[in-house]
Amino acid sequence: MIKKWLSTCQDCHTKCHLFGRQTTSGVPTKSSRDIGGLPNRPTRVLDVSHGKVRLKCNTSIDTNFDYFTLSHMWGPDPTKQLRLELDTFERFQEEVPWHELSDIFKEAVCITRLLGYDYIWIDSLCIIQDSTADWNKEAARMATVYGNSSCNLAFVCPPQESICKHRDDPRGYAPCVLRPKARSLRGVYLSLAVSETTVDWLEPKKWPLFNRAWVFQERILSPRNLYYGNEAMVWECCELFCDELVGTAPTALEAYTHGTEILSKYYLHSTIMKFMEVWTGAVNEYRHMQLTKAKDRVIAFAGIAQAIQNLSGFVYLAGLWRESLPLGLLWGFKQSGTIRESGVETAPSWSWFS
């Protein structure tokens, strides 16, 4: 099923190719000139070929290699997450211990291999976690890393729920053929009515992964997303939203995008000129998402800003845009309850980041 989704998108979806090319590398305008000389592949990836998992630098492999990315939750205790650090850098280039990988990482590696790919990028294993310089450099390149991936594997549950949920029997959703169609006779089919009550996994707002601020730009910037770990797999790209059990039923897409249309790649791509509407929706959704470190609030949103800058040619100004600045300044602060997160100290006073 995943191979079919992936090959169809890669071979036939013009919008997906256009979206990826424009959001990651931009068009030849003044606003995107500053990123023209940067490499369009991750600095490091995990090589999962030949039955091992090894850290590799892009200088040691073909510059146009294909790779997957992973979106996941670190869990309540980040210290239990296997991480790339200065003292493990050399060892991980020899081999990343399989028994130390989480169930989520193991599943991602298996999917990567089964789909015929050799490389996957995982943040905690490809960015040196105890190097501030490396983290700052790599965090600023998220638009490139996720935007150039062949597919983003998104595990929707936290590590403590890493064992996949019970997967429903697809025969319960496949239409029952009562009478096959013929040249002069209509077919008769019996199928289960698709609704939010029967496919509750099609409510992304209830997916734990979608509450994490870092994941916001990962899923928007990736040309393709495969959501797994729930009752059913879900595919999303600029031209297709599909559930493995209910297919492309309109109800599924409506449930997915209802009240939060920015979640849909297709919506973002096709309505980019409705700029303020799209941008305001993105900001309102993002500012309610959770961050382990409040100081990351700006950088975790930088990839989205870069992508929209590349698509529109507008100039980004600390959460607002020069072309719509007077309108963008019309915001207010309403205190209700406790303040959950302090403002970003380095942001200008007129920015919603502040």
Side-chain angles (χ1 to χ4, degrees), residues 166-237:
H166 172 73
R167 296 172 62 80
D168 285 5
D169 190 332
R171 292 174 296 182
Y173 295 86
C176 177
V177 181
L178 301 182
R179 184 180 69 197
K181 65 178 181 179
R183 178 172 298 180
S184 59
L185 191 65
R186 289 185 176 181
V188 179
Y189 302 89
L190 182 67
S191 62
L192 182 68
V194 178
S195 68
E196 292 186 30
T197 56
T198 57
V199 285
D200 56 357
W201 63 85
L202 282 173
E203 297 181 75
K205 279 297 184 183
K206 296 182 179 179
W207 296 354
L209 183 72
F210 275 31
N211 289 320
R212 302 305 301 171
W214 274 107
V215 174
F216 184 73
Q217 66 175 0
E218 295 171 6
R219 57 186 168 83
I220 293 296
L221 296 177
S222 302
R224 307 164 190 91
N225 287 315
L226 175 72
Y227 302 107
Y228 71 108
N230 217 328
E231 282 94 333
M233 293 184 301
V234 175
W235 174 271
E236 178 205 22
C237 62

Side-chain angles (χ1 to χ4, degrees), residues 147-165:
N148 282 301
S149 67
S150 295
C151 182
N152 181 47
L153 308 178
F155 198 93
V156 301
C157 296
Q160 57 268 33
E161 301 177 25
S162 61
I163 298 178
C164 293
K165 295 182 179 180

Side-chain angles (χ1 to χ4, degrees), residues 195-318:
S195 68
E196 292 186 30
T197 56
T198 57
V199 285
D200 56 357
W201 63 85
L202 282 173
E203 297 181 75
K205 279 297 184 183
K206 296 182 179 179
W207 296 354
L209 183 72
F210 275 31
N211 289 320
R212 302 305 301 171
W214 274 107
V215 174
F216 184 73
Q217 66 175 0
E218 295 171 6
R219 57 186 168 83
I220 293 296
L221 296 177
S222 302
R224 307 164 190 91
N225 287 315
L226 175 72
Y227 302 107
Y228 71 108
N230 217 328
E231 282 94 333
M233 293 184 301
V234 175
W235 174 271
E236 178 205 22
C237 62
C238 287
E239 296 192 26
L240 179 66
F241 178 87
C242 196
D243 174 88
E244 69 169 311
L245 296 183
V246 302
T248 56
T251 307
L253 181 58
E254 182 182 348
Y256 182 73
T257 60
H258 178 65
T260 171
E261 290 175 309
I262 193 67
L263 290 177
S264 168
K265 284 183 185 306
Y266 178 78
Y267 180 82
L268 178 62
H269 181 274
S270 61
T271 63
I272 191 63
M273 297 315 294
K274 290 184 176 180
F275 187 71
M276 284 303 295
E277 180 182 346
V278 173
W279 182 253
T280 302
V283 169
N284 285 336
E285 182 177 355
Y286 174 75
R287 66 190 181 88
H288 287 99
M289 293 181 171
Q290 302 168 7
L291 274 171
T292 302
K293 299 179 180 178
K295 65 181 181 64
D296 293 341
R297 182 62 66 180
V298 175
I299 192 67
F301 199 61
I304 292 291
Q306 181 69 72
I308 294 182
Q309 176 174 281
N310 292 338
L311 283 167
S312 65
F314 294 165
V315 178
Y316 184 60
L317 299 173

Side-chain angles (χ1 to χ4, degrees), residues 46-55 70 80-83 91-114 117-118 120 122 125 153 228:
L46 297 175
D47 184 344
V48 300
S49 62
H50 307 296
K52 289 185 176 182
V53 179
R54 293 170 294 178
L55 180 70
L70 175 68
K80 294 183 178 180
Q81 178 74 61
L82 182 64
R83 296 177 292 179
R91 179 164 63 96
F92 280 8
Q93 291 184 71
E94 294 294 327
E95 183 174 3
V96 179
W98 179 260
H99 67 277
E100 294 184 26
L101 293 175
S102 67
D103 292 338
I104 295 175
F105 289 4
K106 290 178 180 178
E107 186 76 5
V109 169
C110 289
I111 292 176
T112 302
R113 288 170 173 168
L114 289 171
Y117 286 74
D118 292 335
I120 184 171
I122 300 177
L125 297 179
L153 308 178
Y228 71 108

